[in-house]
Amino acid sequence: MVQVLLSAVSTLLVYLIARQIGSPRFAMIPYALSVVYYPFWFQAALLLSETLLIFTTLLALYGMIRWLVHPTIQRAWWTGVAVGASYLVKTILVPFVPLFLVAAYRYHRRLGMPRASVMGAGAMAGAIALVLAPLVARNYVRSGRWLVTPPQVGHQLIQIHNAYNPTFESFEPPGFVNEGYEGLQRAKAEARPALPPGTPPALAEILIDDAYRRASLAFIAADPAHFARGLWRAFWNMWRIDYVTAKPYRKVSNILCYALLVPFCMLGMAIAVARRHAPALLLTGFLVYFAAFHIFTSAKIRYRITAMPAFFILASLGLAQG
């Protein structure tokens, strides 16, 4: 019930974010798309983290846009709280926020408000730190490392980029990332370090992930062509326009709410860049960042749902202005 409520509030946030870009009539387009997009409600009916991630990410994006337009300390603080809450679910926004703050400073400086931008960035960082402090302290006690969550970079990289994945068995079946194929088990077994007895579990997880990361990066350096092909396969695996399912209603939802809107989303992104419209540029940057983040990590088709609200708004911009 709670997840269904969060999905309902998330669709309202889609409307509120769209209102920062266009009129109430315009905002109804992405709102309607989010209401009829089947995966929003399918995910809400299951005990998955995506529903909470979508809600906290939209809350953070709404705060960012509001602060970008009017950089007050209060807006920056509450945006930081929303970003911190999103970090607690999944650390997708970790690299994005510093990039956003740099771009926001340049924008505010052009408007003659550099001091407000710097003070707001400090308030936002302070709010994020306050939200995350208990978790970071707990992880330090358990592992001796200052971490928000144990890293999974090595685990994600080695799934795709290893010597035993020549034809990318990692993407079978299409739309998923196969974490059980034989080649991956061999690659992990070879990379896994021998740990001293009594190593704390949290520290062991970190050390193993470090070993996976080093082994995968060594393979990437030795075979950059495989790495490039893997990035393309990961991108297509996640953003493919054919929804891999036998359920007809899911296919119809994917065609109407995604496949047919891809060119309009690209047009909307081009319009945002051409007009230098700050809120639309923020959503464009987020969508590009999100795609890049996931082709390097876990390129599962279901993970793109978190970026679909931004996709709907930019596609609506393309539809309305194209």
Side-chain angles (χ1 to χ4, degrees):
M1 180 63 186
V2 173
Q3 296 207 133
V4 173
L5 179 61
L6 285 176
S7 287
V9 176
S10 295
T11 59
L12 177 60
L13 284 169
V14 172
Y15 175 84
L16 293 175
I17 293 172
R19 279 289 288 117
Q20 306 304 307
I21 295 175
S23 66
R25 174 179 286 185
F26 165 81
M28 285 301 298
I29 303 174
Y31 172 76
L33 287 169
S34 64
V35 168
V36 301
Y37 186 53
Y38 171 78
F40 263 28
W41 303 102
F42 174 74
Q43 303 284 7
L46 301 176
L47 292 175
L48 297 172
S49 62
E50 275 80 0
T51 301
L52 186 56
L53 180 61
I54 292 167
F55 170 71
T56 54
T57 301
L58 284 171
L59 202 60
L61 288 174
Y62 180 60
M64 288 179 190
I65 289 178
R66 296 274 291 171
W67 177 74
L68 186 65
V69 173
H70 189 51
T72 65
I73 296 296
Q74 185 179 19
R75 288 186 178 185
W77 175 263
W78 287 113
T79 299
V81 171
V83 171
S86 177
Y87 282 2
L88 293 176
V89 182
K90 198 172 183 180
T91 53
I92 288 176
L93 290 179
V94 169
F96 179 72
V97 171
L99 296 174
F100 161 71
L101 290 175
V102 171
Y105 174 77
R106 295 181 62 184
Y107 174 70
H108 291 147
R109 188 175 62 180
R110 288 203 307 271
L111 297 180
M113 299 184 292
R115 185 171 179 272
S117 188
V118 172
M119 293 180 64
M124 197 179 301
I128 293 171
L130 187 65
V131 172
L132 299 183
L135 184 61
V136 172
R138 187 200 68 175
N139 287 336
Y140 180 77
V141 169
R142 292 184 176 181
S143 68
R145 304 283 185 96
W146 296 103
L147 298 167
V148 177
T149 59
Q152 293 291 317
V153 176
H155 178 76
Q156 304 290 359
L157 281 174
I158 205 170
Q159 287 181 359
I160 302 171
H161 307 293
N162 67 75
Y164 303 110
N165 190 27
T167 57
F168 299 104
E169 294 88 343
S170 52
F171 297 126
E172 295 296 337
F176 298 86
V177 175
N178 184 354
E179 300 179 22
Y181 67 95
E182 182 181 354
L184 177 59
Q185 305 312 312
R186 294 175 63 185
K188 284 185 173 181
E190 292 180 5
R192 188 182 181 93
L195 300 177
T199 302
L203 180 58
E205 183 180 352
I206 294 169
L207 295 174
I208 292 171
D209 191 76
D210 285 346
Y212 290 166
R213 174 176 52 81
R214 289 193 298 270
S216 187
L217 290 177
F219 171 74
I220 289 170
D223 193 350
H226 183 279
F227 175 65
R229 292 195 304 272
L231 292 183
W232 165 246
R233 290 290 297 271
F235 177 83
W236 176 246
N237 193 61
M238 183 173 181
W239 297 96
R240 58 191 305 135
I241 59 175
D242 56 322
Y243 197 88
V244 187
T245 177
K247 306 288 187 181
Y249 49 90
R250 294 192 198 180
K251 288 186 176 181
V252 170
S253 176
N254 180 70
I255 292 171
L256 295 179
C257 298
Y258 177 65
L260 293 178
L261 295 179
V262 169
F264 293 103
C265 179
M266 297 176 67
L267 177 59
M269 295 168 72
I271 291 171
V273 173
R275 297 182 180 178
R276 302 180 73 176
H277 189 280
L281 277 174
L282 170 57
L283 294 182
T284 299
F286 171 73
L287 198 58
V288 172
Y289 160 81
F290 188 90
F293 180 92
H294 279 86
I295 66 173
F296 283 101
T297 56
S298 187
K300 299 177 182 178
I301 197 170
R302 72 180 177 92
Y303 285 169
R304 77 183 183 202
I305 188 175
T306 307
M308 290 305 292
F311 173 88
F312 289 152
I313 295 170
L314 291 169
S316 299
L317 181 62
L319 278 167
Q321 303 294 326

